[in-house]
Amino acid sequence: MFNRTLMVIPLMLMATACGEPEAACDRQCGQIRTLFTAPCGSQHTGTPADCAAWVSQVSTMTRNLNAAFQGKQVEQDVSEVLPRLMTAVGDFEALKCSDVKVDNVSSTDARQSKCNEALIATRGDLGSLYFSADVPD
């Protein structure tokens, strides 16, 4: 079995440079855990419009992690997942999915489908980050 434990937590600690290491770890892991377990996260509920605020929070967290990892050695799993997560969030935001509602006749079926795909990709990539980073329960 491939060991997915990675060096992300120590890297987050070095990158945050605030508070005690355990407190910084708890904050970073807590943010990933909270987003992953949110109604729009691992539970796969809500329309793109319902989940727009959640995607915005995932976007902010992802940008912060990406900035923190610049110039640092990062486990391969994370270096592969983080850009995918950023792309999925970017696609969701570019499509203005917060405006797309299932019963909204002004939304085209194609746009709805693309927003659903971007939301599913965001959920999947955040799940990959959660499990790759071995976030404690």
Side-chain angles (χ1 to χ4, degrees), residues 26-118:
D26 288 345
R27 184 177 60 254
Q28 293 291 345
C29 288
Q31 187 175 24
I32 294 170
R33 185 184 323 103
T34 298
L35 290 170
F36 178 71
T37 59
C40 288
S42 64
Q43 298 174 20
H44 296 271
T45 59
T47 66
D50 296 335
C51 294
W54 175 81
V55 172
S56 179
Q57 292 173 329
V58 172
S59 177
T60 299
M61 183 221 35
T62 304
R63 283 193 310 270
N64 290 341
L65 283 177
N66 187 56
F69 291 155
Q70 292 301 312
K72 305 268 190 296
Q73 180 93 13
V74 180
E75 181 70 27
Q76 183 177 348
D77 288 350
V78 173
S79 67
E80 291 172 1
V81 170
L82 203 53
R84 285 196 326 253
L85 182 55
M86 292 175 70
T87 298
V89 168
D91 290 348
F92 186 94
E93 292 171 337
L95 289 165
K96 299 185 189 299
C97 293
S98 61
D99 300 337
V100 176
K101 294 181 175 47
V102 174
D103 58 352
N104 185 349
V105 290
S106 65
S107 298
T108 65
D109 289 340
R111 184 171 171 213
Q112 175 69 42
S113 177
K114 288 179 182 178
C115 286
N116 284 337
E117 289 172 12

